[in-house]
Amino acid sequence: MSILTVSNLTKQFGGLVAVNSVDMAVEKGSITAVIGPNGAGKTTFFNLITGVYQPDNGNVQLGSTSLVGLKPHEISRHGIARTFQNIRLFSNITVLENVMVGLHKQLKAGIVGTLFQTKKVREEEQLAKEEAYHWLEYVGLAKHLNEDAQNLSYGAQRRLEIARALATKPKLLLLDEPAAGMNPRETRELTEFIHRMREDLDVTIVLIEHDMKLVMEISEQIFVLDHGEKIAEGKPAEIRNDVKVIEAYLGKSAVTPA
Amino acid sequence: MNKLTSKLKGNKLAQIILLVLYVLITSLSLYLAQASVTAFLLLLFSLLLLYYTELPDRLKWLIAGVVLIGVIPFVSSTGPGYQSYMEVATVVGIYVAMALGLNIVVGLAGLLDLGFVAFFAIGAYTYGIFATGQAANFMPFGTFPLSGESFWIFILIGCFVAALFGVLLGIPVLRVKGDYLAIVTLGFGEIIRIVFNNLDKPVNITNGAMGLASVKPPEIFGYQFVYPNQFYFIVLAILFLVILAVRRFEFSKIGRSWKAVRENEIAAQSMGIHLVRTKLLAFAIGASFSGMMGVVFAAKQTFVDPTSFTLLESITILVMVILGGMGSVPGVILGAAVITILNLQVLTEVTNYLNQLSLDGVISFPEALAPAKMQRFIFGAILIIFAIYRPQGLIPSKNPVFDEESLKEGSKKHRKEKITVEPDKGFQA
């Protein structure tokens, strides 16, 4: 059963067709990778799914609900969470509060309840702190709870982004280049972590990544974009030997020897 | 000096004793030397000292209450300067509340608003129109002016009307971001003032540039509030509620969503935060504080006209927020107090003193350097010095510190049986 169905998705920026009638179906519970050279339209594709951009054409469906026309916060409420290629943390607030923002939609406190600090609001706030702390433990950042997010190391910031996304309790988690800037050991740890997340949390994961070792190791299905078009899809073994993919990545001469 | 502060650190008793001693000395000197502005300012300064002591919060509030309600009005009450001191304190209170309102918009939600005084004007006119005969010009029923007893309800009405206008202005204004938002809010601030200035035709609602004169003073059970020393307590009561509200909002779901929007709009949205609603809420709550104080201002001045609500006022409030420390409640309170006292007391006193000197022939100033002209110059210089040496503000904003031990215990109940957590190892499996 597919959890995310994308059909004929198109987005133009002026004369540039960033995403050109892409079809895609992501299996529930799978780990799926979207790869492609720089400028292939991968991040635009993510932005279309999460409502940052509105598609010019085509449809995005989560389960059986269409996401087209919804605002980013509404899409988040439907159960899609994401991380960003260029890390977008709330830099000047604490690590714990960053994760607590992820709990936003499950908290009920309103203006009046906040003003009078009702028992319900206080209890809810305490629970939120504890739950946020739990997610920090899960990604291994519990010790840093009181630091400003901007003071974390690069790898830790990426983990915090994941913790924040997990706090929204997503059905579908989109990771935009999670291994960018990580050393081989960190990448290996990340690979294991992504596996664990899927096992522990029943979450479907779609990731954009350039690290082919990581992609080949963890993904069950791979989609390849080039110039906004889907040029291949399949299992890692199939993609590895796909002529079009090799051409897109290595250039034509690598495929047709002179 | 360092030795002294390190000795004081951790010694609460010594801190209390010193503080009490300080308050005693300053109040005594104010009591005895009534005309001394310095003594009055030093007495106010005790509140800042109080902030830096390590006493429990409840005790701090108690002491602050005693100083503000008891000591300050009492020791300044016997001399000729009484009303002017209370006037200064009242105006400080009004500005503090406004600065706290703007702090929500600028400091917490990160929306640069250059027309904030508009909401103050709306509050002032709301009371001004109905507490003078003005309302009779366009209201088909009722007798105007309303009695002074309506003032208390009007504090609430002013609060809601300002909040309503905050939302109404916010809906179109919040389509733009950053610098453009600043320009558009600047425009709106001016529009409101000009509308009030011209709304005497075709129906005379605001009485235009003539303003609204003889606004009814507040009244309760036949007791009238006319003098600054009486308004002082009204302002103090409202201010207390405002600070309480700001504190509660800041460390709540709502406050977090403001900060998230300030830090990164796209990430905030992808966490499920409704961008427009969050921003409008910041606008509305910020405006409501201003609206309340507008009502008080109208009643205190007994006269409202558009010239009280110029762009310079908006800028001054913004300066208070930035100078005090954006997003920092104690900082903004201090910033508002410092700027207001500088403008009302210190700089005018210095000018008067210099004028006196030149009249006496001790020194003579060339025309271009007349003390009255120097006043704004000194004010500007002070701002520049602060900006260079305290770019984060007088009291920079601090993030809350969470108690790890209690959270560690509580976090266990959120684990599903499947999840295995090894604290701080999570990632390095």
Side-chain angles (χ1 to χ4, degrees):
Chain A
M1 195 187 83
S2 67
I3 183 168
L4 180 75
T5 321
V6 173
S7 49
N8 195 26
L9 195 67
T10 304
K11 178 72 186 175
Q12 288 190 331
F13 295 112
L16 178 79
V17 187
V19 173
N20 194 356
S21 48
V22 170
D23 296 307
M24 198 177 282
V26 176
E27 284 297 302
K28 189 170 189 306
S30 69
I31 298 179
T32 304
V34 178
I35 62 171
N38 285 327
K42 305 182 296 289
T43 296
T44 305
F45 178 70
F46 266 24
N47 283 340
L48 287 170
I49 295 175
T50 54
V52 176
Y53 299 144
Q54 289 300 326
D56 295 326
N57 204 354
N59 195 14
V60 180
Q61 267 192 324
L62 183 73
S64 56
T65 39
S66 172
L67 300 179
V68 174
L70 295 186
K71 293 264 165 56
H73 69 266
E74 294 168 317
I75 290 175
S76 155
R77 277 155 206 251
H78 277 97
I80 297 184
R82 71 177 289 187
T83 66
F84 297 88
Q85 183 181 0
N86 44 348
I87 300 173
R88 288 179 185 273
L89 286 171
F90 308 125
S91 314
N92 286 309
I93 62 177
T94 63
V95 168
L96 190 78
E97 285 172 296
N98 264 272
V99 183
M100 285 172 86
V101 173
L103 298 166
H104 182 83
K105 63 183 173 184
Q106 76 179 53
L107 302 181
K108 302 279 176 284
I111 300 178
V112 179
T114 308
L115 269 181
F116 293 100
Q117 288 288 304
T118 55
K119 193 157 170 268
K120 231 168 89 191
V121 168
R122 272 179 289 143
E123 283 171 0
E124 181 188 80
E125 187 74 5
Q126 182 60 28
L127 279 177
K129 280 180 207 163
E130 290 166 0
E131 190 177 342
Y133 186 78
H134 163 69
W135 288 116
L136 286 182
E137 283 180 325
Y138 189 65
V139 300
L141 287 174
K143 265 190 199 147
H144 303 283
L145 82 162
N146 280 322
E147 279 173 42
D148 282 7
Q150 62 184 355
N151 296 339
L152 292 182
S153 70
Y154 187 78
Q157 291 196 3
R158 289 226 169 265
R159 279 188 265 166
L160 180 54
E161 264 207 323
I162 293 178
R164 189 179 67 177
L166 289 178
T168 68
K169 304 200 177 47
K171 292 181 229 160
L172 179 67
L173 177 61
L174 309 179
L175 303 174
D176 198 343
E177 297 201 20
M182 287 189 171
N183 64 35
R185 207 196 74 193
E186 286 172 323
T187 309
R188 212 166 46 243
E189 287 162 2
L190 176 75
T191 315
E192 284 169 36
F193 182 71
I194 293 175
H195 270 297
R196 253 185 57 199
M197 269 198 298
R198 191 216 351 217
E199 301 307 318
D200 290 345
L201 307 168
D202 297 319
V203 62
T204 308
I205 294 168
V206 179
L207 56 101
I208 292 175
E209 191 45 70
H210 281 301
D211 187 319
M212 282 306 135
K213 187 162 171 295
L214 181 142
V215 169
M216 294 299 166
E217 217 173 297
I218 68 176
S219 39
E220 282 128 25
Q221 185 79 354
I222 298 177
F223 293 90
V224 189
L225 296 183
D226 188 24
H227 296 299
E229 291 181 36
K230 186 177 78 180
I231 56 169
E233 68 170 283
K235 303 221 172 323
E238 296 162 16
I239 296 297
R240 209 188 303 246
N241 300 318
D242 192 292
V243 178
K244 269 187 169 169
V245 176
I246 299 171
E247 198 181 294
Y249 263 100
L250 302 176
K252 216 163 193 166
S253 56
V255 190
T256 48
Chain B
M1 188 66 199
N2 272 339
K3 235 182 198 171
L4 193 69
T5 45
S6 65
K7 253 189 193 161
L8 272 176
K9 204 163 249 174
N11 191 346
K12 286 179 191 166
L13 191 68
Q15 290 174 1
I16 292 195
I17 293 173
L18 270 180
L19 188 73
V20 170
L21 223 62
Y22 179 86
V23 173
L24 271 181
I25 293 172
T26 48
S27 0
L28 211 64
S29 51
L30 181 60
Y31 191 77
L32 297 175
Q34 272 298 330
S36 163
V37 181
T38 327
F40 177 67
L41 294 180
L42 286 175
L43 181 55
L44 282 184
F45 186 70
S46 70
L47 292 170
L48 186 63
L49 289 184
L50 176 68
Y51 171 75
Y52 280 112
T53 56
E54 290 158 348
L55 308 175
D57 279 356
R58 272 171 199 277
L59 189 59
K60 279 192 194 178
W61 278 101
L62 192 73
I63 297 176
V66 168
V67 171
L68 284 170
I69 299 173
V71 178
I72 291 180
F74 176 71
V75 297
S76 57
S77 68
T78 46
Y82 183 37
Q83 292 304 346
S84 77
Y85 289 144
M86 286 295 109
E87 168 78 17
V88 169
T90 308
V91 175
V92 167
I94 289 176
Y95 275 112
V96 167
M98 278 204 281
L100 284 172
L102 186 61
N103 181 44
I104 288 181
V105 180
V106 180
L108 295 183
L111 307 164
L112 187 51
D113 184 347
L114 289 182
F116 194 67
V117 81
F119 304 120
F120 186 54
I122 286 166
Y125 269 96
T126 306
Y127 185 62
I129 288 171
F130 290 96
T132 59
Q134 190 62 28
N137 291 333
F138 61 95
M139 288 290 283
F141 53 86
T143 48
F144 298 98
L146 295 173
S147 78
E149 276 166 353
S150 68
F151 171 80
W152 312 102
I153 303 163
F154 263 91
I155 292 180
L156 276 184
I157 295 175
C159 169
F160 282 116
V161 171
L164 181 73
F165 270 84
V167 172
L168 287 180
L169 299 193
I171 290 170
V173 160
L174 291 175
R175 291 172 173 275
V176 293
K177 286 181 196 164
D179 307 351
Y180 299 99
L181 179 69
I183 295 168
V184 174
T185 52
L186 188 154
F188 256 118
E190 285 299 280
I191 287 172
I192 293 277
R193 183 176 63 82
I194 292 166
V195 164
F196 282 146
N197 200 20
N198 291 288
L199 214 59
D200 50 351
K201 305 176 286 272
V203 185
N204 189 355
I205 295 177
T206 64
N207 207 22
M210 308 271 286
L212 303 164
S214 55
V215 177
K216 282 265 177 182
E219 200 181 321
I220 193 164
F221 306 127
Y223 179 79
Q224 273 202 339
F225 290 72
V226 187
Y227 299 109
N229 66 325
Q230 296 163 315
F231 278 101
Y232 173 78
F233 290 102
I234 298 177
V235 168
L236 212 54
I238 296 177
L239 192 56
F240 174 74
L241 295 178
V242 165
I243 293 175
L244 199 69
V246 170
R247 278 310 224 186
R248 290 186 166 178
F249 278 124
E250 189 184 355
F251 303 112
S252 71
K253 171 198 174 194
I254 295 170
R256 271 196 305 279
S257 60
W258 286 334
K259 290 180 205 165
V261 167
R262 173 189 75 192
E263 297 292 323
N264 198 313
E265 284 192 5
I266 289 179
Q269 277 183 299
S270 78
M271 294 295 116
I273 290 175
H274 194 303
L275 207 58
V276 176
R277 192 185 296 159
T278 306
K279 287 181 176 180
L280 284 181
L281 194 61
F283 253 63
I285 293 178
S288 68
F289 296 162
S290 234
M292 280 195 275
M293 282 308 181
V295 173
V296 177
F297 177 79
K300 183 176 84 69
Q301 301 297 101
T302 69
F303 177 70
V304 186
D305 81 332
T307 55
S308 311
F309 312 109
T310 55
L311 176 63
L312 187 66
E313 287 294 308
S314 293
I315 306 258
T316 309
I317 303 167
L318 186 65
V319 167
M320 291 169 181
V321 174
I322 294 172
L323 180 98
M326 278 205 272
S328 150
V329 172
V332 168
I333 295 174
L334 180 63
V338 166
I339 298 281
T340 316
I341 293 174
L342 261 184
N343 274 336
L344 285 184
Q345 282 266 325
V346 179
L347 289 178
T348 32
E349 287 290 328
V350 169
T351 314
N352 288 346
Y353 178 70
L354 291 176
N355 272 337
Q356 194 58 44
L357 281 188
S358 69
L359 272 182
D360 294 346
V362 181
I363 31 173
S364 72
F365 294 99
E367 176 65 17
L369 291 176
K373 289 179 182 165
M374 293 294 284
Q375 197 173 329
R376 302 316 295 171
F377 176 80
I378 297 170
F379 183 66
I382 289 173
L383 291 190
I384 292 174
I385 290 168
F386 276 126
I388 292 173
Y389 291 102
R390 304 270 345 199
Q392 298 294 316
L394 292 173
I395 305 176
S397 74
K398 269 188 277 191
N399 281 325
V401 179
F402 301 98
D403 174 33
E404 188 169 2
E405 288 309 312
S406 78
L407 294 179
K408 215 175 245 173
E409 203 44 50
S411 85
K412 283 180 189 149
K413 58 177 168 270
H414 296 281
R415 284 177 206 166
K416 301 188 192 105
E417 68 274 25
K418 266 169 102 183
I419 299 181
T420 48
V421 172
E422 298 169 59
D424 299 313
K425 269 204 79 187
F427 222 55
Q428 301 105 23

